[in-house]
Amino acid sequence: MIAMAVSMACGVIANIALIARFLERRVKFNTWLAMIVLVIHDVINIIVVTVFGVIHRYDDGFTYGEAFWMCVCSTIISVTVTGTLAYDLITTPEFAKSVMILLCYIALGSLVFAELIGLTFQDGLYYTVVSIETIGFGDITPNSTASIIFCIIYSTVGIVNIGLVVNTTRETIIEAFENAYRKRSAEIARRRHEHKVMRVQQRERRIAIERELHEAGLPIYVRVPADSSKYHIGGGRGYMVNTHNTKMVLNEDGLEEWRKKRAEDRARQARDPENTEVELHDLEVPDQKLDTDARRG
């Protein structure tokens, strides 16, 4: 009894929080409050229903009454509401509101039909669902003027409500796909931009190396054995491939050696300040070496 009292209190608090949320009063706080108390309500109901079902699983003269099935239906609806609130908190601000309005509308219709036609709550819930979904099996029919008038008005509004929920669900699904598509498109654009920037950087680096090799008087391209895994006929940025299983690549190794020799000559000149002449040797272009020898002669 204490557990069910706590469960009912949690349900009341959750309904108050949901009403405040629909009125746009501290939406986030009321959403969290409703979710927390609904989880407590659901846990208590599930435990009570499960224990009751296990204890009376055999035919001992007891039967599952209306209160039991109302507790089961209340738990199912509460779990659904909790899930929609959690989804609403994360993604779409209108989805859970539409579903909640529809569930409350169905619950209200079930209660009214149960009183007007003289049905149990379960039968009233069944009649409400088949009415607003325009199924109409005909096994339950209104038997009074008040129930007929209420059924006409209620079914009309209910059909519109279901249409709004279906439309909101459709928009939610489409929005989820659009968000995924936008993220994918942004990722592809980012990768293309990075690839373009990398190609520009590689081109600038190749041009700088070619210029430095030309200024150093070294061959810009040298022939090396081609890697069989990358061997193909044609060419590319920074190298050329021929049919002799060799390729022409930038002379980066020669440039590195030239840089080292230049650094050594500068270090030697720094150690010997009186020697102002730098020995260039292999660093000079052949025409420049001839001019230097001629000047020395």
Side-chain angles (χ1 to χ4, degrees):
M1 295 297 294
I2 297 177
M4 295 306 298
V6 173
S7 175
M8 292 179 63
C10 290
V12 172
I13 296 174
N15 287 325
I16 295 174
L18 289 175
I19 293 174
R21 180 181 182 277
F22 293 155
L23 295 176
E24 303 294 335
R25 305 293 184 182
R26 303 181 66 181
V27 176
K28 192 170 184 180
F29 171 78
N30 287 313
T31 301
W32 276 107
L33 178 60
M35 289 174 58
I36 292 172
V37 294
L38 284 177
V39 168
I40 298 174
H41 170 271
D42 298 341
V43 171
I44 293 175
N45 284 9
I46 290 173
I47 293 175
V48 171
V49 170
T50 304
V51 171
F52 185 83
V54 171
I55 293 175
H56 300 284
R57 63 184 181 275
Y58 302 112
D59 187 9
D60 52 0
F62 291 93
T63 183
Y64 298 143
E66 183 176 350
F68 175 82
W69 292 113
M70 288 184 65
C71 182
V72 173
C73 294
S74 172
T75 305
I76 294 174
I77 295 175
S78 178
V79 171
T80 305
V81 171
T82 306
T84 55
L85 284 175
Y87 184 84
D88 174 47
L89 189 65
I90 298 173
T91 55
T92 310
E94 298 295 333
F95 179 72
K97 183 183 293 186
S98 300
V99 176
M100 280 294 301
I101 292 175
L102 177 63
L103 293 177
C104 293
Y105 188 76
I106 291 175
L108 177 63
S110 303
L111 180 62
V112 174
F113 279 124
E115 294 295 330
L116 292 178
I117 305 178
L119 305 172
T120 62
F121 183 79
Q122 294 92 319
D123 292 338
L125 179 63
Y126 161 77
Y127 180 71
T128 299
V129 173
V130 298
S131 297
I132 63 176
E133 291 183 355
T134 66
I135 298 175
F137 289 114
D139 51 347
I140 300 177
T141 57
N143 52 12
S144 64
T145 303
S147 61
I148 293 174
I149 295 175
F150 179 78
C151 181
I152 293 173
I153 299 174
Y154 181 84
S155 299
T156 303
V157 178
I159 293 171
V160 174
N161 200 350
I162 286 183
L164 293 175
V165 172
V166 172
N167 181 64
T168 304
T169 305
R170 171 183 170 275
E171 292 178 354
T172 302
I173 296 174
I174 292 176
E175 183 179 357
F177 279 109
E178 287 179 351
N179 291 335
Y181 174 76
R182 291 192 190 99
K183 291 180 180 179
R184 180 62 178 171
S185 300
E187 180 66 18
I188 293 175
R190 184 185 63 82
R191 291 181 180 178
R192 287 179 177 175
H193 177 70
E194 291 179 353
H195 184 64
K196 182 178 180 180
V197 171
M198 183 180 65
R199 285 189 300 174
V200 171
Q201 292 175 349
Q202 290 178 348
R203 180 175 178 274
E204 293 176 352
R205 178 177 178 274
R206 177 176 57 84
I207 293 174
I209 292 176
E210 290 178 352
R211 184 184 297 112
E212 191 172 1
L213 286 170
H214 178 73
E215 293 175 355
L218 298 174
I220 298 177
Y221 290 94
V222 293
R223 190 180 300 278
V224 297
D227 186 359
S228 59
S229 62
K230 300 179 180 179
Y231 175 71
H232 63 278
I233 299 176
R237 294 292 184 181
Y239 68 92
M240 295 179 292
V241 179
N242 57 25
T243 58
H244 300 290
N245 201 23
T246 60
K247 64 181 180 181
M248 301 292 291
V249 299
L250 281 173
N251 189 14
E252 297 186 44
D253 294 337
L255 180 61
E256 187 66 26
E257 294 179 1
W258 180 81
R259 290 172 178 172
K260 290 180 180 179
K261 291 181 179 179
R262 185 176 60 177
E264 292 174 358
D265 289 339
R266 289 179 177 177
R268 189 182 306 114
Q269 182 184 10
R271 289 194 301 268
D272 188 7
E274 296 180 357
N275 185 10
T276 58
E277 182 181 2
V278 180
E279 296 180 2
L280 299 178
H281 298 293
D282 296 334
L283 304 181
E284 297 180 303
V285 183
D287 294 339
Q288 295 176 343
K289 284 186 71 176
L290 293 176
D291 295 339
T292 302
D293 294 337
R295 288 197 298 272
R296 289 180 180 175

